[in-house]
Amino acid sequence: MAKEKRGKKTAVSRQGKKSGLPPGTPVYVGEQKRDAVKIDVLCYSGEHFEELQNVLVEDCLRMRKSGETLWININGVHDVQLIQNIANGFGLHPLTTEDITNTGQRPKAEEFDSYIFLALKMLSYDETLRTIRHEHVSIVFGSGYVLSFQEYEGDVFDPVRNQIRTKKGRIRNEGMDYLAYAILDSIVDEYFVSIEKMGDRIEEIDDEILSAPDARHMSEIHRMKREIVFLRKAVWPLREVFSGLEKNTSELIGVSTRLFLRDLYDHTIQVIDMVEAYRDIIGGMHDTFLSSTGNRMNEVMKVLTIIGTIFIPLTFIAGIYGMNFEHMPELKWPWGYFCLLGIMAALAGGMLALFKRKKWL
């Protein structure tokens, strides 16, 4: 999580690097990395399949074949020159290149003459840190190809790759539009997994607050509040993105794929509902914490008040007979000490009985 926080601070601080540059100038905005960018390629048709890893940009351009779908996955967008070379090879607009390298880009969809560009966030849940990790993902699909750009190596696309390798489902017989849909669908499916796990954590903290509120719970609530705010920013724009894709009249999206995009839109609405529900729960958890803490304090004060109330008359009696006067009643009486102890015990017992009768205990 610390690494992710450093990345966020770096992204914010590097936004100023774009100041004064012409529109369309690619500038990497994100965590500083020195790892080499890795390019993986899947090329397939109904009968043919080929998979390559760690290929060069020139190899990607040579693999474009008529009648086959080419999926190029780029792990890492910090090498601006490499991204620029890929963009030049596939004829991407400079504004698209700029959005690919800007990891703080808001989710959106844009249609150009020969391709459609999508930007969104990919989520994954870290079981160790119990937090949601995210990274910027850009998808470009045009005639016969799909380009996917992601910040780090490792993703949620393995189910899609397995379908292509094993020829399961309809993906091998469909075009690049269906492949783009399958990639988007795998990202949205992981939204459900990550948010549900976050929901389990929210319910766990909520139960702990009700049973034994602790100061650490307040920091955990604020951390989850920040996460839910980010989730809202990442998910809400997707409703507009997928709705626009479904209604898009571009020839790049087939009629059959539009039906699947409609289903993807429905899934996005469900994700939004989940985020809003957990947002309300987290908002209520803050009040629950304060109420639980206040109730515990009230219980402590009640016990202390009862103890103090019981000892007030006993202290009064002890104070009277502690005065240093020579002529005091019962001062020479042999049973005076035991009588006073009995009176004190009777007072204490009577007050306890009264408190129980009033249901203060």
Side-chain angles (χ1 to χ4, degrees), residues 233-284:
K233 292 180 179 179
V235 173
W236 268 96
L238 291 181
R239 181 175 62 173
E240 177 184 347
V241 169
F242 294 147
S243 176
L245 282 179
E246 178 195 350
K247 299 174 183 178
N248 195 300
T249 58
S250 173
E251 295 180 355
L252 295 173
I253 303 177
V255 177
S256 59
T257 304
R258 297 183 195 278
L259 298 176
F260 291 99
L261 290 174
R262 184 185 308 169
D263 182 66
L264 191 60
Y265 173 79
D266 293 337
H267 289 174
T268 304
I269 298 300
Q270 295 178 36
V271 171
I272 291 174
D273 291 340
M274 292 173 62
V275 170
E276 291 301 314
Y278 288 132
R279 181 193 180 206
D280 293 339
I281 293 174
I282 293 175

Side-chain angles (χ1 to χ4, degrees), residues 41-141:
V41 176
L42 284 172
C43 183
Y44 64 90
S45 62
E47 301 300 330
H48 174 260
F49 168 71
E50 183 179 4
E51 181 175 7
L52 299 175
Q53 295 182 345
N54 293 322
V55 301
L56 301 176
V57 176
E58 295 76 12
D59 299 327
C60 297
L61 300 177
R62 284 197 299 266
M63 291 184 69
R64 297 184 66 177
K65 301 176 184 178
S66 176
E68 294 190 350
T69 300
L70 181 65
W71 177 15
I72 302 174
N73 184 59
I74 298 93
N75 298 291
V77 294
H78 54 281
D79 190 338
V80 176
Q81 185 58 54
L82 185 144
I83 301 300
Q84 185 68 68
N85 293 338
I86 296 176
N88 294 337
F90 285 87
L92 303 186
H93 194 279
L95 292 177
T96 300
T97 311
E98 180 184 7
D99 289 337
I100 290 173
T101 56
N102 182 8
T103 60
Q105 175 60 51
R106 179 180 183 270
K108 67 175 183 177
E110 291 183 340
E111 180 183 359
F112 293 85
D113 293 336
S114 59
Y115 65 90
I116 294 177
F117 169 73
L118 299 165
L120 66 162
K121 303 299 179 183
M122 182 166 59
L123 307 181
S124 61
Y125 191 81
D126 191 318
E127 296 285 356
T128 303
L129 299 177
R130 292 187 172 184
T131 185
I132 292 180
R133 291 189 175 277
H134 59 86
E135 65 175 286
H136 179 66
V137 175
S138 301
I139 298 173
V140 178
F141 65 96

Side-chain angles (χ1 to χ4, degrees), residues 6-43:
R6 287 198 300 270
K8 290 180 182 178
K9 291 180 181 179
T10 304
V12 173
S13 63
R14 286 176 60 85
Q15 289 284 356
K17 279 198 168 186
K18 301 177 69 174
S19 178
L21 296 176
T25 303
V27 176
Y28 174 64
V29 178
E31 181 184 350
Q32 292 300 304
K33 297 187 295 182
R34 296 181 179 178
D35 301 337
V37 175
K38 181 181 177 182
I39 303 177
D40 301 327
V41 176
L42 284 172
C43 183

Side-chain angles (χ1 to χ4, degrees), residues 285-318:
M285 285 171 62
H286 186 272
D287 297 334
T288 302
F289 176 82
L290 295 179
S291 298
S292 298
T293 305
N295 289 337
R296 290 191 65 189
M297 182 61 67
N298 290 338
E299 290 294 326
V300 172
M301 293 304 298
K302 182 176 73 172
V303 172
L304 294 177
T305 301
I306 290 174
I307 294 174
T309 303
I310 291 173
F311 275 89
I312 285 175
L314 306 185
T315 306
F316 174 74
I317 294 174

